[in-house]
Amino acid sequence: MSSSTAAPGQSPIADPTPLSLCTREPRVPADRLVAEMVPPPRFDAVRFATYVPDQAQPSQTEAVRVLSGFAAGLGGAHPTGEGRRRWFGGRARAAAPAGPRGVYLDGGYGVGKTHLLASLWHATPAAPEQKAFGTFVELTNLVGALGFQETVRTLSGHRLLCIDEFELDDPGDTVLVSTLLGKLVDAGVALAATSNTLPGKLGEGRFASVDFLREIQGLAAHFRALRIDGDDYRHRGLPEAPAPFSDEQVTKTAYATDGASLDDFPHLLAHLARVHPSRYGALTDGLKAVCLTGVEAVPDQSTALRLVVLADRLYDREVPVLASGLPFDRLFSEEMLNGGYRKKYFRAISRLTALARDAKELVRAA
């Protein structure tokens, strides 16, 4: 490609060109969706021992204690599933120990819920193929890819299912997942979930857990809710997100960084509409950095929700994001930030801000 031409969505630049998300249209087989239901790279090495509780928030220390005990209690499952039947029900229901079959971590942004959820996955004494970890969106995408009955069959052989960022803002998806979880509980699968308290409801006690337990209806009795208080660790004692860079700085850094992508932000938003969100993880395969020019306010809700999923996948994979244009805290309109999906938008802002800080080192090295 010469300096006078460029793929749609890319800045016109000379060879060798950086990668472009806008030229990627991955096809992801269903078996990969199942195999990838493990804690993302960012949480590969986390354990309960690496979680650092805020000493001013005793609920964080208590959560580690409770979850450690919950993980230990999931041991002893026979590979055939007979251990699960003895533990949870079936023919040996009378011998099942008392107590909830699931835990729900209730708290705001950045208090370490995903760290704790991944630590639970790692600590549970079962083979990796007997444990599943994914976001609520990834779980609904799995149902879409496999079908409901096949998803039930596939996950029923698991010892534990961890669901990060359980979403209560789509009634249809909530009913779908609640029905799925009911089938899995009947099969003896232990459950763990997190979600975020809505920003406008912080300080109102157990708002999120009450909503969660109400929405999953018949499953509520299977969950113990753990409140985790605290501030967003991503911003504890850290500076605000760096101001956006110039187009020239972003482009120069993209060229100087092996494995970086370079895209015009509006073109990228348009491309996301052509790629199913279940493929956004594959969209980021091999990326070492994402460089974006011309960041502007997201024009509508559908586009905003797709961007949230991409931000989650980039954060999970620890991919720095370098951008020109508007700062990330101005991506979403006031109407969006005050609406029903606001918890997603605040999460995206928090995560993109963390990734923008990570990208500063790339500019210095360019």
Side-chain angles (χ1 to χ4, degrees):
M1 184 183 297
S2 70
S3 60
S4 60
T5 61
Q10 279 191 293
S11 301
I13 43 183
D15 285 337
T17 62
L19 305 168
S20 171
L21 293 175
C22 291
T23 63
R24 293 184 165 191
E25 296 186 11
R27 296 290 182 263
V28 183
D31 57 352
R32 173 175 168 175
L33 294 177
V34 177
E36 290 186 343
M37 291 194 73
V38 297
R42 179 177 287 270
F43 299 98
D44 274 346
V46 302
R47 299 293 187 273
F48 289 129
T50 64
Y51 181 79
V52 181
D54 184 343
Q55 295 306 307
Q57 304 291 348
S59 62
Q60 295 185 10
T61 300
E62 174 67 3
V64 172
R65 185 190 68 79
V66 171
L67 291 172
S68 297
F70 185 75
L74 297 180
H78 191 278
T80 65
E82 292 181 7
R84 286 192 296 274
R85 286 195 293 273
R86 284 195 295 270
W87 181 272
F88 287 121
R91 288 187 295 273
R93 182 176 298 275
R101 308 177 193 185
V103 289
Y104 168 70
L105 308 184
D106 175 20
Y109 306 92
V111 296
K113 298 188 305 299
T114 302
H115 183 135
L116 290 170
L117 192 67
S119 297
L120 173 63
W121 187 94
H122 289 298
T124 296
E129 59 269 20
Q130 291 183 305
K131 302 180 285 187
F133 184 107
T135 65
F136 181 90
V137 171
E138 288 171 323
L139 189 58
T140 58
N141 288 339
L142 184 67
V143 175
L146 298 183
F148 183 83
Q149 295 300 331
E150 183 63 17
T151 302
V152 171
R153 188 195 68 78
T154 299
L155 295 181
S156 289
H158 285 62
R159 192 75 183 87
L160 171 70
L161 171 62
C162 297
I163 307 169
D164 201 20
E165 305 293 355
F166 201 105
E167 298 179 1
L168 302 174
D169 42 34
D170 188 314
D173 282 348
T174 301
V175 170
L176 172 70
V177 173
S178 294
T179 304
L180 172 64
L181 296 185
K183 298 288 186 182
L184 297 180
V185 166
D186 289 343
V189 181
L191 307 173
T194 75
S195 72
N196 285 323
T197 302
L198 292 172
K201 298 296 183 178
L202 291 175
E204 294 189 15
R206 295 190 176 280
F207 174 83
S209 61
V210 168
D211 264 20
F212 174 80
L213 297 174
R214 182 187 68 240
E215 293 298 334
I216 62 174
Q217 300 175 11
L219 288 172
H222 299 308
F223 281 87
R224 172 178 178 175
L226 295 177
R227 176 73 184 181
I228 304 175
D229 300 299
D231 300 321
D232 187 337
Y233 80 90
R234 288 182 287 266
H235 306 299
R236 267 184 227 154
L238 295 173
E240 293 296 320
F245 293 91
S246 67
D247 286 353
E248 181 180 4
Q249 287 174 304
V250 171
T251 302
K252 178 183 177 182
T253 302
Y255 277 113
T257 305
D258 184 44
S261 65
L262 176 63
D263 292 280
D264 175 65
F265 186 71
H267 283 91
L268 176 59
L269 295 183
H271 183 64
L272 293 179
R274 297 189 289 270
V275 179
H276 192 275
S278 66
R279 303 172 185 168
Y280 287 5
L283 190 70
T284 66
D285 280 353
L287 287 185
K288 302 302 182 185
V290 167
C291 298
L292 302 171
T293 57
V295 170
E296 59 186 33
V298 178
D300 57 74
Q301 195 105 262
S302 295
T303 303
L305 292 173
R306 288 191 288 267
L307 181 60
V308 168
V309 176
L310 179 63
D312 286 342
R313 300 293 81 77
L314 293 172
Y315 182 78
D316 288 345
R317 290 157 175 77
E318 300 182 291
V319 180
V321 178
L322 185 71
S324 66
L326 288 181
F328 288 132
D329 60 2
R330 294 174 59 187
L331 281 172
F332 308 110
S333 68
E334 286 299 317
E335 181 180 4
M336 291 178 184
L337 294 178
N338 290 320
Y341 295 111
R342 54 185 174 174
K343 66 177 182 180
K344 298 183 182 180
Y345 302 143
F346 276 86
R347 183 178 80 234
I349 290 171
S350 175
R351 291 183 166 184
L352 288 171
T353 294
L355 296 177
R357 283 200 296 265
D358 294 343
K360 291 175 67 176
E361 293 300 320
L362 299 177
V363 178
R364 296 190 184 102

